[in-house]
Amino acid sequence: MSLRQRPVSTEPAPPKEDSVPAKEKLAPPVPPKSASSLWILLAAVGISALVYFASNSFITGGSLDYLAPYALCSSDSSKVYTVDAQNSQTQCILIDNGYIANTGTLEEVKLHWKTKVAGTSPSELQIRYTPPGSIVVPGLSDSHAHLLEYGASRELALEGTKDIQETVARVKKYILANPEIQRNTSTYVLGGGWDHTVWPTTRWPTAADLDSDPVLRGRPIILQSKDCHALWVSSKVMEISGPFPNVVEGGVIFRDDSGQPNGMFLDNAQDIIFQPALTDGDLLRRFSIAVRDVVAVGLTSVHDAGLNPASLKFFSKQAELNKLPIRIYGMTFFDENGEYWGNTTKPIIDAANGRLNARSVKIFADGALRTSGAALYEPYADDPTTTGAMRITSEVLHHWLPLFLRDGWQVNVHAIGDRANGIVLDVFEASLKGINISASRPRLEHAQIITQADRERLGKLGVIASIQPTHATSDMWYAQDRLGPERVKNLYAFRSIINSGARIALGSDFPVESPNPLTGFYAAITRLSADGESPHGSDGWFPEERLTRQEALRGMTIDPAYASFTESTLGSLEPGKRADFVILSQDIMTIDPDQVLTTKVIATVIDGKPVYGQF
C-alpha cells in the first residue's frame, strides 16, 4: 500500500463517559445507517452481557475497579484461550496492575491472590464471569495496516461502487452534502476505495469522467484505489501537479490518444501528484476515526506499515502525551533518495508504557496484483504486454538492506509478485549471512505469489511472511484470469508457506480490507467469501491452503507479537504478560465456520482496562 500521511500535534477527542472513567475508555463507533439492524443486535448483546455480569458477579461493592486486582472467569468451564506454547485453555485469569498475575481455576487464582497479591492490596478480590457461550482470547493484532489512511478512507468511502458513473455520483453526493466544500471549488476532495476489477468495463477511469459532471468540473479531486496503488485525479489536479515526466521509474502515467496524461497514476507515479498538507485537525479526526473502529472489532495492537517522518512524529507526540489508546508498531518509510538514517536514529522501544514501538524500516519492492503492478517472471495472462514493475532495483536493495540489518533495524519489504519475492529473498539471503535471525526478524509484507522453491527458501532463511487472508478471498474472483491456471496456485499459498517452516503473521492491510480480524480468521480457515462462495465451490478456493483455527488464532496474537519483538509481554494470556484480551460472544474455535462472522466483540481490554465495551 502507498502511504500519504502527515503529522498532527493535537490530542484525540475525549471519549464519551459511561461506567468506566473517560480516560480509560473510548466511545464506541457511530453505527452507519445502512447497518442499523446490526448495531441494534450489537447493543442487545451488550445489554444482555451487562445484565449477566450484574447478576453473576461476586464483588464486594459497586462497579468493577480495574485498578484493583480482579479475576475474569469463564462461565462455561475452560473457555479462556491462553495461546501459550501448549495452546492451553483455562477458566480464569487474575489481573493485577494491568498485568496477568495468574491463570487457572477459580480456586487456583484465589489462592494465588491470597498468598501473593492480597498483602499489597487492601481490597477484596473482585470476580467477574463472562456470558454463557462467550470466550476470552488474547488481544488481537493486525500485522499490516494503515491507521491514518483508514481514517481518511471513511470520510469519502468509494468501496462497493459498481461502475465509474456510480463512483462519480458518490463524489458528487459528498460535495453537495458538505456546504463548505460545495461553496469553495478550490478545496481538495479526497476519497478512496474504488475497485475497477469489479466494474463491468475493461477501461480505467479518467479525469474526463470526473470533469463530465458540472458539480465536479474544475475541482481538485484525488481518489485512491482500493489497493492504494493507483490515483484517479481530476484535470484540475493535473494542472496543479504538472508538468509531468515522460517516464516514472517504478510507476505508470496513463495517457490519452494524444499522449497527454489522462488522470490515472500508478505506483511511483502517484508521488508526482501534488497533495496539500493536511492540518492537525484533519489528522486528528482521521486517527480518532481509526482508533474508534479498530477497538470495536477487538484489535489491541496494529502494525502500521509505513510511517514517514511526519507521521512518526505524530505518533511519537501522542505517546509523549500518553494519548495512544492502542498499541502501535511502526514501520518507518524508506526513501532511497534520502540520507541513510539507520546509524543516527534510535529505535523507539516500549514508549508510553508499551503503546509505541518503531524499530523497523518498510521498503516497497513492487506494485499490486489488482493494478497489474506486481513484478512477475512471466507476462500477465490478461495483458501479455507487461510483467509488472519493480519499484526499486536489486542493486539498491543490496546496498541498503545490509546497512539497516547491521544497525539493528528490522527490515520489512513489500513484495507481491513472484519476481519481486524472488529478488527480495536473494537480497535477504546475501544480507543475512552472519546476522542473528532471531534478533533481526526480517519480514516479507504480503508475500502473495511465491514459487515453491522460494517458499522453501523463505522457511530456511527464517524470514517472516506477513500475510492477509482477506486479500485471498477478495482477489480469488479475478486472480486466475490475471495469472493463468498454473501460476495462480502460487498465490496466497498459506498452508504451503507454513509447511516450508516459515513463520507467519496475519493482518488485513486496512483500509484495503476490513479491519475486523474475524473476517481474516474466517477467510484463513475457509477460503470462502462472506456469503460462503468461491470460484472452486463451497469447499473454498484452493482449500488445501487453508489454515487451522489454532494457526489462525496464533497468527493474530502470538505470531504478530513475535514479528514485533513483543512476545515476552504480549500475544498470550500468561503470568507476567500485559493484560490485553478480548471477550467474544461465541467460541470461534468450535462453532460452525459459517457462524464465525456473526460473532460480536463484547469487550476489548488493554492493560486490564476496557477500551471498548465493558464487563
Side-chain angles (χ1 to χ4, degrees):
M1 173 176 176
S2 297
L3 303 175
R4 301 288 186 274
Q5 300 185 149
R6 306 284 182 182
V8 57
S9 58
T10 51
E11 300 178 1
K16 296 179 182 178
E17 294 184 357
D18 55 16
S19 61
V20 180
K23 291 183 179 180
E24 300 176 5
K25 187 177 184 322
L26 289 178
V30 178
K33 293 181 180 178
S34 61
S36 58
S37 60
L38 172 62
W39 284 91
I40 291 172
L41 178 60
L42 278 170
V45 170
I47 293 171
S48 298
L50 291 176
V51 170
Y52 181 85
F53 286 140
S55 61
N56 292 276
S57 298
F58 298 90
I59 58 176
T60 55
S63 60
L64 184 62
D65 180 3
Y66 299 110
L67 297 179
Y70 67 89
L72 178 65
C73 297
S74 168
S75 59
D76 297 326
S77 186
S78 299
K79 287 296 183 178
V80 177
Y81 288 85
T82 67
V83 194
D84 61 7
Q86 294 76 37
N87 294 316
S88 305
Q89 293 174 232
T90 192
Q91 182 189 8
C92 302
I93 49 176
L94 175 63
I95 313 302
D96 179 32
N97 195 31
Y99 286 83
I100 298 172
N102 192 246
T103 64
T105 66
L106 177 58
E107 292 307 314
E108 288 171 337
V109 299
K110 281 183 174 179
L111 179 61
H112 182 89
W113 174 75
K114 289 179 180 179
T115 58
K116 303 290 185 181
V117 180
T120 63
S121 174
S123 64
E124 294 189 42
L125 180 63
Q126 305 172 97
I127 304 170
R128 289 290 169 102
Y129 289 89
T130 61
S134 66
I135 65 171
V136 180
V137 298
L140 301 176
S141 295
D142 193 308
S143 295
H144 186 111
H146 305 271
L147 283 161
L148 298 179
E149 287 77 14
Y150 174 84
S153 74
R154 297 303 91 192
E155 296 182 294
L156 173 51
L158 302 176
E159 190 165 356
T161 58
K162 295 180 173 55
D163 53 33
I164 294 172
Q165 292 71 32
E166 184 181 345
T167 309
V168 172
R170 192 175 293 187
V171 177
K172 177 180 180 178
K173 182 179 179 180
Y174 172 79
I175 293 172
L176 295 178
N178 290 271
E180 291 185 9
I181 296 176
Q182 184 180 357
R183 286 193 297 268
N184 188 352
T185 58
S186 64
T187 299
Y188 269 71
V189 177
L190 307 175
W194 58 269
D195 182 5
H196 71 291
T197 67
V198 300
W199 293 345
T201 178
T202 57
R203 80 172 180 89
W204 292 74
T206 67
D209 294 310
L210 297 173
D211 298 336
S212 65
D213 189 289
V215 174
L216 276 61
R217 189 178 307 131
R219 293 178 183 271
I221 302 172
I222 301 176
L223 308 177
Q224 185 92 64
S225 64
K226 176 180 170 65
D227 64 6
C228 296
H229 284 264
L231 289 181
W232 171 17
V233 306
S234 64
S235 296
K236 186 64 175 179
V237 168
M238 290 194 291
E239 176 186 324
I240 295 170
S241 302
F244 300 111
N246 292 326
V247 177
V248 176
E249 186 175 352
V252 179
I253 301 174
F254 284 27
R255 300 180 183 272
D256 59 25
D257 293 340
S258 66
Q260 296 301 309
N262 72 358
M264 184 57 55
F265 298 80
L266 267 58
D267 291 316
N268 287 355
Q270 297 176 102
D271 296 334
I272 62 178
I273 295 299
F274 173 78
Q275 298 196 47
L278 298 173
T279 67
D280 288 351
D282 291 333
L283 268 293
L284 171 62
R285 183 176 63 254
R286 293 176 180 186
F287 181 57
S288 298
I289 290 170
V291 169
R292 178 198 69 187
D293 286 4
V294 302
V295 297
V297 293
L299 289 174
T300 58
S301 300
V302 173
H303 299 191
D304 199 296
L307 304 179
N308 62 30
S311 57
L312 180 56
K313 181 180 179 181
F314 160 57
F315 285 121
S316 297
K317 180 65 173 179
Q318 301 309 304
E320 291 174 5
L321 297 172
N322 287 320
K323 293 296 184 181
L324 286 182
I326 60 172
R327 303 194 194 282
I328 297 174
Y329 182 72
M331 308 179 199
T332 303
F333 185 72
F334 170 73
D335 180 6
E336 66 176 287
N337 297 314
E339 294 184 2
Y340 177 65
W341 47 264
N343 59 346
T344 59
T345 302
K346 290 184 177 180
I348 298 174
I349 299 176
D350 283 339
N353 193 30
R355 297 295 173 100
L356 180 64
N357 285 274
R359 55 186 300 178
S360 63
V361 59
K362 166 75 177 298
I363 300 173
F364 282 92
D366 66 343
L369 181 65
R370 189 178 296 271
T371 48
S372 302
L376 306 178
Y377 285 120
E378 302 295 333
Y380 279 84
D382 58 353
D383 185 2
T385 65
T386 182
T387 59
M390 290 292 292
R391 296 177 63 173
I392 194 169
T393 67
S394 61
E395 290 77 16
V396 171
L397 289 171
H398 275 289
H399 173 72
W400 291 104
L401 261 66
L403 296 178
F404 282 111
L405 290 168
R406 178 199 68 190
D407 291 324
W409 292 86
Q410 183 187 47
V411 177
N412 305 337
V413 185
H414 163 116
I416 290 182
D418 51 11
R419 177 161 57 100
N421 278 287
I423 289 172
V424 173
L425 286 174
D426 287 343
V427 178
F428 273 138
E429 189 168 17
S431 304
L432 289 170
K433 292 178 180 178
I435 299 291
N436 182 341
I437 195 66
S438 65
S440 57
R441 305 185 190 184
R443 296 167 47 160
L444 275 181
E445 301 300 319
H446 307 302
Q448 285 186 7
I449 313 169
I450 308 184
T451 66
Q452 178 60 36
D454 279 339
R455 289 197 293 269
E456 294 175 1
R457 188 158 54 137
L458 183 70
K460 291 178 181 177
L461 291 174
V463 175
I464 298 167
S466 173
I467 55 180
Q468 299 77 43
T470 46
H471 280 351
T473 51
S474 290
D475 294 357
M476 63 185 177
W477 303 106
Y478 69 86
Q480 183 162 318
D481 291 340
R482 193 141 297 175
L483 297 174
E486 289 304 314
R487 185 167 44 182
V488 74
K489 297 175 183 177
N490 292 324
L491 178 64
Y492 301 115
F494 301 149
R495 163 62 47 211
S496 298
I497 288 174
I498 288 181
N499 288 347
S500 76
R503 282 182 173 267
I504 63 167
L506 301 185
S508 68
D509 201 11
F510 70 71
V512 179
E513 307 286 354
S514 164
N516 186 351
L518 293 183
T519 63
F521 182 89
Y522 171 82
I525 68 172
T526 67
R527 308 274 290 193
L528 292 169
S529 64
D531 55 5
E533 297 181 356
S534 85
H536 295 165
S538 59
D539 283 342
W541 184 61
F542 294 110
E544 65 274 12
E545 296 294 347
R546 291 180 299 209
L547 301 183
T548 67
R549 298 191 199 212
Q550 200 64 252
E551 288 167 340
L553 180 60
R554 295 183 71 87
M556 57 182 61
T557 53
I558 192 64
D559 292 336
Y562 177 84
S564 58
F565 302 90
T566 55
E567 76 277 10
S568 64
T569 57
L570 302 174
S572 63
L573 301 177
E574 299 180 82
K577 290 195 173 186
R578 293 184 180 276
D580 290 8
F581 57 88
V582 180
I583 305 174
L584 299 175
S585 65
Q586 299 184 95
D587 188 350
I588 60 172
M589 305 302 285
T590 61
I591 59 176
D592 289 341
D594 61 4
Q595 293 300 303
V596 167
L597 295 181
T598 67
T599 304
K600 309 298 185 293
V601 173
I602 295 174
T604 304
V605 180
I606 299 179
D607 286 332
K609 303 175 186 178
V611 293
Y612 174 79
Q614 53 187 333
F615 62 92

